[in-house]
């Protein structure tokens, strides 16, 4: 029995149909929750539509600061990318939404939460693992796994039959898109053919590299304890900083990605992504770590990163293993302080400078000029022979 449910609500066709469907199928009150995580859309229409459809209560929360500060930044401390390329823009937003849904459910006395993720995707896993981790007793309703409204035409017919307002004017994008302060993603349409090149008209945040400015743009990003805190000497809060880098990076064609990824549910999926600010931050963070992290610590982080990335991608943000890894990663960032200079030019982001008071780079030792005895080159002979010992023994035994 469900008396009240909290619905993750965007105001679009799918979640508007779900709102009405929940009322009809479960005969329950529906509380809508819309998260502002920087998707760049006006959210007031979602409130008006929820009111018209009889939502019991309406929550529209500005989570932009929390999203970047408590989710994006911790993930970037690990230099996280999934399968070598994807910066996890969709994945990292879901645990925050799940957390707020569960909180609202507790506030309003709801029995269940509901979402509009399909039964084919990763998001159903992410939402539900988050909900269960934060409230083991919560019920989860996933209409796409229950109803037979499995096409846009059926959804439109349902909406028309039940008086659900649907925006029909203008050309609808053929793509399934998701946007937040970290990225915008595109799936479906011609992208379902992995041989077909994405149309130039699809991209929304970035200039084509060949149409980007002919003059490069230099940026200086300041880091404190592994997190970016300023750009070109101007202190910015996390949401402001990422939004600024999105704008500048997009202008210079930074951050386009076209990949076929392995979904957690088992299928391969082709997606295109624009992550201009995140692409810049990943480059810059690795650069500041290159002079402030001990070699073995840096290598250990690189070994652990793919596991961390899979944990985030698969929806286990609230798991004990992610928290344990985060503790280790955060401990490594204590002295990751300094400034990185990057050069943006026609789709490329190149690190051209890095400095830190905690730098482990010793120019007296690294120099090709006279080092005044700072490094004894004769020491290398014994070092090499000790490392070669097992190789020499093996070769002698083999004859």
């Amino acid at each position: 029995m469900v008396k009240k449910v909290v619905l993750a609500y965007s105001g679009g066709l799918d979640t508007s149909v779900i709102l009405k469907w929940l009322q009809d199928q479960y005969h329950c009150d529906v509380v809508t929750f819309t998260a502002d995580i920087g998707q760049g859309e006006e959210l007031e229409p979602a409130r008006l539509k929820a009111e018209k459809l009889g939502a019991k209560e309406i929550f529209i929360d500005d989570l932009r600061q929390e999203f970047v500060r408590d989710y994006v930044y911790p993930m970037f401390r690990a230099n996280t990318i999934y399968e070598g390329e994807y910066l996890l823009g969709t994945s990292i937003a879901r645990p925050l939404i799940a957390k707020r849904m569960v909180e609202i459910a507790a506030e309003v006395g709801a029995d269940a939460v509901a979402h509009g993720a399909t039964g084919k995707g990763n998001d159903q896993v992410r939402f539900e693992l988050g909900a269960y981790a934060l409230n083991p007793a919560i019920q989860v309703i996933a209409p796409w796994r229950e109803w037979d409204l499995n096409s846009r035409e059926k959804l439109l017919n349902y909406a028309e039959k039940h008086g659900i307002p649907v925006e029909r004017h203008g050309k609808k994008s053929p793509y399934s898109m998701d946007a937040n302060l970290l990225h915008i993603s595109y799936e479906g349409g011609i992208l379902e053919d992995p041989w077909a090149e994405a149309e130039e008209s699809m991209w929304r945040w970035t200039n084509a590299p060949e149409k980007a400015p002919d003059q490069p743009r230099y940026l200086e990003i300041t880091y404190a304890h592994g997190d970016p805190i300023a750009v070109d000497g101007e202190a910015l809060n996390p949401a402001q900083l990422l939004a600024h880098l999105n704008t500048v990076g997009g202008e210079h064609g930074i951050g386009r990605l076209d990949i076929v990824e392995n979904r957690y549910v088992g299928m391969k999926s082709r997606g295109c992504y624009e992550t201009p600010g995140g692409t810049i931050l990943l480059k810059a963070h690795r650069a500041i770590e290159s002079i402030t992290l001990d070699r073995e610590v840096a290598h250990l982080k690189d070994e652990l990163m793919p596991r961390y990335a899979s944990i985030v991608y698969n929806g286990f943000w609230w798991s004990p293993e992610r928290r344990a890894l985060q503790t280790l990663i955060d401990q490594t960032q204590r002295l990751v302080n300094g400034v990185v200079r990057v050069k943006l030019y026609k789709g490329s982001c190149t690190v051209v400078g890095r400095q830190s008071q905690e730098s482990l780079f010793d120019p007296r030792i690294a120099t090709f000029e006279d080092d005044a005895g700072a490094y004894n080159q004769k020491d290398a002979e014994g070092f090499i022979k000790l490392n070669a010992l097992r190789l020499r023994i093996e070769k002698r035994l083999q004859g």
Side-chain angles (χ1 to χ4, degrees):
M1 294 292 295
V2 175
K3 296 180 179 179
K4 185 182 291 186
V5 58
V6 176
L7 168 64
Y9 183 70
S10 69
L13 173 63
D14 292 21
T15 53
S16 294
V17 168
I18 288 173
L19 198 167
K20 178 62 177 173
W21 183 86
L22 288 169
Q23 293 168 333
D24 290 347
Q25 295 296 315
Y26 284 85
H27 306 290
C28 63
D29 292 333
V30 179
V31 176
T32 63
F33 160 55
T34 305
D36 180 0
I37 49 177
Q39 56 266 51
E41 297 177 353
E42 173 58 50
L43 299 182
E44 192 58 29
R47 180 192 303 276
L48 297 176
K49 188 177 288 188
E51 288 177 352
K52 183 173 183 179
L53 293 173
K56 189 71 173 179
E57 294 183 66
I58 299 169
F59 288 79
I60 298 180
D61 295 349
D62 184 349
L63 303 178
R64 290 174 294 176
Q65 203 68 257
E66 182 179 359
F67 173 54
V68 182
R69 182 192 64 230
D70 297 342
Y71 296 82
V72 175
Y73 277 11
M75 182 178 73
F76 270 67
R77 289 175 211 143
N79 300 318
T80 311
I81 50 175
Y82 178 69
E83 296 187 336
E85 295 187 273
Y86 175 38
L87 276 72
L88 298 166
T90 297
S91 314
I92 194 60
R94 298 326 189 206
L96 172 57
I97 295 173
K99 168 178 169 286
R100 189 64 188 123
M101 288 172 66
V102 169
E103 289 174 345
I104 292 172
E107 290 176 27
V108 302
D111 315 285
V113 295
H115 61 78
T118 75
K120 285 187 175 183
N122 294 310
D123 279 345
Q124 59 178 336
V125 182
R126 296 164 182 154
F127 284 134
E128 295 177 35
L129 286 178
Y132 290 134
L134 297 169
N135 181 355
I138 198 73
Q139 296 185 63
V140 179
I141 301 173
W144 278 96
R145 301 201 299 256
E146 297 185 29
W147 66 19
D148 60 356
L149 305 175
N150 53 8
S151 71
R152 179 170 173 80
E153 182 180 357
K154 289 182 178 179
L155 289 170
L156 287 169
N157 290 339
Y158 185 96
E160 184 176 355
K161 178 180 177 181
H162 293 87
I164 299 171
V166 175
E167 298 292 337
R168 293 179 177 270
H169 61 273
K171 181 181 178 182
K172 177 177 170 58
S173 170
Y175 306 103
S176 173
M177 296 185 295
D178 175 76
N180 58 49
L181 264 176
L182 182 55
H183 88 158
I184 183 170
S185 67
Y186 309 88
E187 292 181 314
I190 65 168
L191 301 180
E192 293 183 354
D193 175 4
W195 181 251
E197 181 177 2
E199 302 168 311
E200 181 58 35
S201 60
M202 177 191 76
W203 306 102
R204 298 194 174 194
W205 284 11
T206 57
N207 284 325
E210 58 269 25
K211 294 182 180 179
D214 292 331
Q215 297 300 316
R217 172 74 179 266
Y218 289 85
L219 298 173
E220 292 187 359
I221 303 173
T222 303
Y223 278 86
H225 309 301
D227 291 341
I229 60 170
V231 177
D232 294 332
E234 181 184 358
L236 299 169
N237 67 43
Q240 291 171 335
L241 190 145
L242 186 51
H244 175 61
L245 292 183
N246 281 335
T247 299
V248 177
E251 180 184 356
H252 288 269
I254 307 298
R256 289 189 180 186
L257 183 63
D258 182 336
I259 60 172
V260 173
E261 66 199 62
N262 289 292
R263 285 182 178 174
Y264 192 34
V265 294
M267 69 186 73
K268 290 185 181 291
S269 173
R270 195 263 188 99
C272 290
Y273 302 92
E274 292 176 283
T275 320
T279 300
I280 296 168
L281 289 178
L282 179 63
K283 279 270 191 178
H285 186 256
R286 290 196 66 94
I288 195 62
E289 282 193 329
S290 73
I291 61 172
T292 57
L293 280 191
D294 170 79
R295 180 189 69 184
E296 294 305 313
V297 172
H299 290 183
L300 177 61
K301 282 187 76 243
D302 283 345
E303 292 171 11
L304 294 173
M305 184 276 288
R307 177 67 186 276
Y308 184 101
S310 292
I311 287 171
V312 176
Y313 184 84
N314 294 338
F316 288 93
W317 178 264
W318 298 107
S319 67
E321 63 269 28
R322 201 281 306 178
R323 293 196 297 270
L325 278 176
Q326 194 72 58
T327 299
L328 185 152
I329 290 162
D330 291 350
Q331 197 279 335
T332 70
Q333 302 297 291
R334 292 178 302 111
L335 301 179
V336 180
N337 309 311
V339 181
V340 176
R341 189 168 67 249
V342 297
K343 176 183 177 180
L344 312 181
Y345 183 67
K346 291 191 176 296
S348 69
C349 175
T350 308
V351 174
V352 295
R354 68 290 278 164
Q355 63 181 9
S356 171
Q357 291 186 345
E358 279 78 40
S359 177
L360 299 175
F361 182 91
D362 189 336
R364 298 175 306 150
I365 293 176
T367 182
F368 281 96
E369 304 301 328
D370 184 359
D371 61 16
Y375 179 86
N376 187 349
Q377 298 197 29
K378 292 183 179 180
D379 291 344
E381 181 179 357
F383 172 78
I384 295 168
K385 284 188 175 180
L386 284 174
N387 277 281
L389 181 60
R390 63 186 179 89
L391 307 178
R392 297 168 75 184
I393 292 172
E394 182 185 32
K395 185 61 178 176
R396 285 171 182 160
L397 289 174
Q398 291 176 348

